[in-house]
Amino acid sequence: MPSYTVTVATGSQWFAGTDDYIYLSLVGSAGCSEKHLLDKPFYNDFERGAVDSYDVTVDEELGEIQLVKIEKRKYWLHDNWYLKYITLKTPCGDYVEFPCYRWITGEGEIVLRDGRAKLACDDQIHILKQHRRKELETRQKQYRWMEWNPGFPLSIDAKCHKDLPRDIQFDSEKGVDFVLNYTRAMENLFINRFMHMFQSSWSDFADFEKIFVKISNTISERVMNHWQEDLMFGYQFLNGCNPVLIRRCTKLPKKLPVTTEMVECSLERQLTLQQEVEQGNIFIVDFELLDGIDANKTDPCTLQFLAAPICLLYKNLANKIVPIAIQLNQTPGDENPIFLPSDAKYDWLLAKIWVRSSDFHVHQTITHLLRTHLVSEVFGIALYRQLPTVHPVFKLLVAHVRFTIAINTKAREQLICEYGLFDKARGMDSAEDIPNYFYRDDGLLVWEAIKTFTAEVVGIYYESDRVVAEDQELQDFVKDVYMYGMRGKKTSGFPKSIKTREKLSEYLTVVIFTASAQHAAVNFGQYDWCSWIPNAPPTMRAPPPTAKGVVTIEQIVDTLPDRGRSCWHLGAVWALSQFQENELFLGMYPEEHFIEKPVKEAMARFRKNLDTIVSVIAERNKKKKLPYYYLSPDRIPNSVAI
């Protein structure tokens, strides 16, 4: 009688093993086997991290094995089991791999196909077509869209982390509990004693060092020492936490009535302001988005204020970007003066602090939350709803949505309460014209490496543009992202459908880049740039000044966050800047969803390209007092998971 050797690999994460009964059935082109209990006498099967082998004898020849069915039945107490993969050695000596990388919960079962990626058009056998359809029908019941907040992309229909399907939950919920992480941060930063001192102002700028110097690094120390300087202020728009807002100013806005006479002491080329604009030396950051927004009212004892400033910047003869004019609200008028570097020291400093505070709010809500976390969650939900496990795009992208839905659900549950990419239109694309814009330079290197990789994968599975256009599962995925995630808005920039291999490669590059590089660029520098509170105030306790010549150091300190809120802010940016335990970085694919040699070779070339980028960035940083490493591939996690 034919005999098969079945090798079963159990995951190595906590609680991955099981004591339940595990049964296996084989479905072949010539017949189906009976259900076999996988069990060895006097042996603890399916322990965490174990790889176990079993001999399975069948009554008759099964032909080519098409499906493997695994059933889990209760032994004593219900437990979950994480199955990594099954390898089958056939009677002919061939090896067939069946990737899984999923949890089997309760008295559950799972049906696996072999690891070869297949488009729907490749499946001609009824049982395989039926498997695709049933998998998606089941997933669409589990992964449902829900409106979290009006105007935001739709999110997963789950009120808390434990409501999520087990496959997308964190391995250990404790590690991503925000309250726990903040508390741990307080302890690590030695700032517990200040935590509850709300409404208590610091005495001066130096007083902030009491919560700063206990843990420090090169960049944050440099920020502390140079934050008041115009050069440091301008540099952060290029290479700080939020390097996506600055754009070249092609026309001075009427709402900012700045004149040459106002800024002539800052202009170094003996040109008028209009001539500087025409030569491309003027840049602008406009926080119009914050206009009319009510400040948070989470603390009933502390009034909090927002501004919607407009900041004009100048590229000087040293090719450095410096601020030359700041208006703190959108409507010009006598009570909304334009602050200038030539003004009194504290007038100009407070104006810059207001810009930094506004930048912090836009960074957290738009650049970070919306354009990386929520957009990546949209990709993840649509992926699980519309692409079966066997689809090559699912296999490619699943590593890049790992834990994203879970981290966002935890954030909605605990952190966010009621109380992008490279846009050429910004005029920031010329490395010769705007040097030292490392976010752009490194980002483009990573973008091109990802694009080359996705183009190779697309070329392996899609032989023509027609195959792309006729892949209904792919089109349903793209449509789900557009209609539900992006709410059907053309202004989102996302397509309703994809018709060519080139456009598919570009789309996949956007998904991977957003989830990996873009998130790394705007997340992991938060402690570096935001730990010195005056440089990134999370709240302001007094309204913006309405006149010049009246600002004092005491007024600035009373405007900045109090001791308690400063500590919570510091704990937050410290916690958010930490990598996850066992972090997987860009190019690392330990879960082998792909088994084909051409794709594995493409992955190897991708990793080699990324290694080259790491070396290029490391060499450049040797010469920099302020190194930029957020887009070094060895520091870019594969997915949004923090």
Side-chain angles (χ1 to χ4, degrees), residues 211-323:
I211 62 167
F212 178 81
V213 296
K214 297 297 183 182
I215 181 169
S216 57
N217 62 39
T218 304
I219 294 179
S220 60
E221 284 186 16
R222 194 164 181 85
V223 171
M224 179 185 71
N225 292 326
H226 299 278
W227 71 281
Q228 298 187 43
E229 299 169 11
D230 289 353
L231 284 173
M232 178 62 80
F233 179 90
Y235 179 87
Q236 292 179 76
F237 284 116
L238 298 178
N239 299 308
C241 272
N242 198 16
V244 300
L245 296 187
I246 187 170
R247 59 183 175 87
R248 195 187 297 274
C249 181
T250 56
K251 183 180 180 181
L252 292 168
K254 291 182 180 179
K255 62 183 179 181
L256 180 66
V258 62
T259 65
T260 299
E261 291 69 32
M262 290 180 179
V263 298
E264 61 184 349
C265 64
S266 300
L267 306 181
E268 299 179 352
R269 296 177 176 85
Q270 281 73 54
L271 299 175
T272 66
L273 179 58
Q274 180 57 37
Q275 290 170 328
E276 294 279 17
V277 169
E278 292 168 359
Q279 291 204 3
N281 297 322
I282 302 298
F283 299 82
I284 193 168
V285 180
D286 188 349
F287 295 92
E288 183 178 18
L289 190 68
L290 298 177
D291 191 30
I293 301 294
D294 290 332
N296 205 326
K297 296 180 175 62
T298 50
D299 180 1
C301 299
T302 303
L303 285 175
Q304 300 181 68
F305 297 88
L306 288 174
I310 308 168
C311 181
L312 209 62
L313 301 112
Y314 176 63
K315 185 183 73 172
N316 63 21
L317 289 174
N319 281 329
K320 306 293 186 184
I321 301 293
V322 293

